[in-house]
Amino acid sequence: MNENNKNYLNIVLVEPEIPQNTGNISRTCAATGASLHLIEPLGFKITDASLKRAGLDYWKYLDLHIYKDLDDFFLQNSGEFYFYTTKGNKVYTEPEYKGNVYLFFGKETAGLPVSLLASAPERCVRLPMLFDIRSLNLSNSVAIATYEVLRQWDFKDFQTQGQLEKYISE
């Protein structure tokens, strides 16, 4: 567990292929304080204009880590790992996310490696969908999962109230 039992959120993208998805995810990470971990090979260069455009001006707020492969990642990180997959038997709301949490997502065309899923089937979770639908967009899936973890953490340290009253006339 981390110092002072603090919760940490980490998003892990294994071999992402579409720069716009990773750009959108980087913006979600910046807005939520989650660290972003990218596992190579990537389907784009970090300097890709479409990647940067999707993240807009949020890159300066991003805690980004890049690894040459999954082995490199696991050598450098420890915590509670959850694998988001259409193959999972648990709904993503079932786990109690605590401590140093890592949410793993696979590449857009193939998902996470089956060998990784088989190593911890009890950590495989899924987003419910209608039958005959293959999957959700990667950046949407990350956003849903991220906000479930933050909801469980009571949105601690987050702004939860807007200023609507400023815009409502009497």
Side-chain angles (χ1 to χ4, degrees):
M1 183 77 64
N2 291 299
E3 62 192 27
N4 304 322
N5 296 324
K6 184 165 173 50
N7 294 320
Y8 295 93
L9 181 55
N10 300 274
I11 303 303
V12 182
L13 303 182
V14 179
E15 301 179 12
E17 300 167 310
I18 301 173
Q20 293 88 342
N21 279 338
T22 301
N24 289 336
I25 292 165
S26 69
R27 186 172 179 171
T28 297
C29 288
T32 60
S35 295
L36 179 59
H37 303 261
L38 302 179
I39 311 297
E40 295 179 329
L42 309 178
F44 49 84
K45 295 191 182 321
I46 292 296
T47 57
D48 190 316
S50 57
L51 174 77
K52 296 289 188 180
R53 192 176 319 108
L56 293 173
D57 57 346
Y58 291 86
W59 285 97
K60 61 186 173 191
Y61 302 109
L62 183 63
D63 180 30
L64 177 64
H65 308 269
I66 302 173
Y67 307 88
K68 65 181 179 179
D69 55 31
L70 275 169
D71 289 338
D72 184 31
F73 171 85
F74 285 116
L75 281 172
Q76 297 183 51
N77 296 282
S78 63
E80 299 295 318
F81 301 136
Y82 297 92
F83 307 109
Y84 277 71
T85 174
T86 58
K87 298 169 185 69
N89 289 324
K90 287 184 180 180
V91 174
Y92 74 106
T93 55
E94 289 182 49
E96 188 176 342
Y97 300 101
K98 288 184 177 179
N100 199 23
V101 172
Y102 291 85
L103 308 181
F104 284 73
F105 298 86
K107 61 181 164 184
E108 291 89 342
T109 58
L112 290 167
V114 173
S115 59
L116 180 63
L117 303 177
S119 72
E122 73 284 358
R123 295 290 179 143
C124 295
V125 296
R126 67 172 288 123
L127 299 173
M129 293 175 281
L130 293 174
F131 292 94
D132 299 325
I133 302 297
R134 190 176 69 239
S135 65
L136 290 170
N137 172 275
L138 179 61
S139 63
N140 291 338
S141 297
V142 170
I144 291 166
T146 297
Y147 274 89
E148 171 57 20
V149 172
L150 296 176
R151 183 194 67 78
Q152 287 189 20
W153 295 349
D154 296 321
F155 299 106
K156 185 171 173 14
D157 301 324
F158 281 78
Q159 180 180 340
T160 58
Q161 298 286 316
Q163 301 296 319
L164 181 59
E165 60 276 359
K166 287 182 177 180
Y167 302 97
I168 299 174
S169 59
E170 299 282 325

